[in-house]
Amino acid sequence: EYANESGIILISGGSTAPSMAISGDTTFRLASDDTNLANAMADLMTRNGAKAVVALARNDVWGNDLINATAESLSQMGGVKMTTLRYNPNSDDFTQILGDMRALLEDSHDEYGDGAVAVYLIAFDELMEILVQASRDPALASARWYGTDPSGVLIREDERAAQFAIKVGFIYPTFSQGNSSVVRRIAEDIRERQKIDMVSYAMNDYDAAWLITYTYLLTGSSDPADFMRVLPVFARTYRGYSGDAVLNDAGDRAFAFYTFWSLRDSDGIPQNVPLSRYIFNPYEGVFWIPGDEPS
């Protein structure tokens, strides 16, 4: 609100909360808002046979927006029931809430049967500790778990979290259209230097720098109104490392592209395995590109 009132342009590579998809403001986002992720996740859970979902989500703007959007999508896709537990993001003891989850899972299994219940974990860095604590309770491994974008990078940092994720068939998405040789080279370089996997949204930030530069050169002006007018026009023709940069009426990326992954054991080493890809094209609709579909 302050930026909008002050004529300050904000460009984000990672903001996804649907409540921030506001037409006409000074904020532009190169990530697709989570309405698209909610549709993709609901579609995948439904395809995998889920009739009930027990969700565990951060009690913040991102977590609440995503869980609400997913519940709505599930309801529209055959009336899948979602029950939500919310936790304090600053907490490090999840004993009580995992106990509540166990009770909900048991009730859902009684009502819908084995194989028809899923767990949806919406978390950031605390994800590892949640999985570690969940691994101590066999009842929590009675359903397939799903997660959010940071999951793949984080889980592999803790062996206990990784082993539990493998046990429950943990599935998570990454957002990215770019899979060029340059993107792969950058990802490999980061992995070699930093010993971590690249977060996909980093490519959005890289492209944002170029979009800002080109827009400034095209306008030749420091007037925010000129920048706001020209950026969406130039973005229609720009295809960067993160993919097509076309923006919608809210100033957010119009295309949504998610790759879904699972963690599997490979000779004792956890490996991220791509399963399938989900594409939302604003001009043509939704496409699934099949891969190793989870069973």
Side-chain angles (χ1 to χ4, degrees):
E1 182 178 348
Y2 175 81
N4 196 50
E5 293 175 351
S6 305
I8 299 171
I9 306 294
L10 300 179
I11 300 184
S12 171
S15 170
T16 60
S19 60
M20 294 186 67
I22 303 170
S23 179
D25 67 359
T26 58
T27 297
F28 298 90
R29 302 192 295 178
L30 293 186
S32 169
D33 87 61
D34 278 336
T35 301
N36 292 296
L37 177 58
N39 290 336
M41 188 62 75
D43 196 357
L44 181 62
M45 289 178 177
T46 303
R47 286 166 176 254
N48 288 347
K51 300 297 183 184
V53 177
V54 177
L56 181 58
R58 289 172 63 96
N59 191 11
D60 60 9
V61 172
W62 172 68
N64 289 326
D65 274 15
L66 179 52
I67 206 65
N68 291 338
T70 305
E72 182 176 348
S73 294
L74 284 169
S75 177
Q76 294 172 353
M77 295 180 184
V80 176
K81 177 184 177 182
M82 174 179 278
T83 306
T84 303
L85 298 169
R86 291 178 170 85
Y87 65 88
N88 181 346
N90 296 320
S91 175
D92 56 9
D93 182 359
F94 303 97
T95 305
Q96 180 61 51
I97 202 162
L98 288 174
D100 295 340
M101 175 183 284
R102 182 200 314 115
L104 290 173
L105 285 175
E106 291 172 349
D107 290 344
S108 296
H109 281 299
D110 290 343
E111 183 173 354
Y112 297 97
D114 293 338
V117 184
V119 171
Y120 190 18
L121 176 58
I122 298 177
F124 285 154
D125 291 2
E126 68 277 3
L127 170 140
M128 286 191 296
E129 187 58 34
I130 291 173
L131 294 182
V132 168
Q133 293 183 29
S135 69
R136 301 168 187 156
D137 187 345
L140 297 179
S142 62
R144 181 190 292 280
W145 286 50
Y146 298 79
T148 47
D149 194 282
S151 302
V153 175
L154 295 170
I155 291 174
R156 290 175 62 184
E157 295 182 11
D158 188 290
E159 182 178 354
R160 294 166 299 174
Q163 291 305 315
F164 182 74
I166 292 170
K167 185 176 182 179
V168 298
F170 197 97
I171 296 176
Y172 66 92
T174 57
F175 174 84
S176 177
Q177 295 182 66
N179 192 32
S180 67
S181 60
V182 175
V183 172
R184 290 194 295 271
R185 188 175 75 240
I186 293 172
E188 290 168 3
D189 192 37
I190 290 174
R191 190 177 299 112
E192 180 179 346
R193 295 188 187 196
Q194 306 296 330
K195 311 303 179 186
I196 60 172
D197 292 324
M198 180 181 73
V199 177
S200 58
Y201 291 105
M203 302 310 297
N204 292 343
D205 293 329
Y206 183 88
D207 285 333
W210 286 105
L211 285 167
I212 292 168
T213 301
Y214 282 124
T215 300
Y216 179 74
L217 292 174
L218 284 170
T219 60
S221 166
S222 58
D223 187 333
D226 291 338
F227 191 97
M228 291 178 62
R229 176 173 48 82
V230 172
L231 176 63
V233 176
F234 177 70
R236 292 177 203 156
T237 65
Y238 180 84
R239 179 173 176 82
Y241 291 143
S242 60
D244 294 297
V246 178
L247 302 177
N248 60 23
D249 292 341
D252 301 336
R253 190 188 291 266
F255 286 80
F257 186 107
Y258 303 100
T259 300
F260 285 90
W261 305 73
S262 187
L263 203 67
R264 296 180 181 172
D265 184 273
S266 177
D267 297 325
I269 301 174
Q271 296 289 340
N272 294 310
V273 179
L275 301 175
S276 55
R277 289 183 290 170
Y278 174 96
I279 301 170
F280 170 70
N281 183 318
Y283 310 111
E284 299 178 12
V286 170
F287 301 90
W288 279 98
I289 300 176
D292 263 341
E293 287 290 345
S295 59

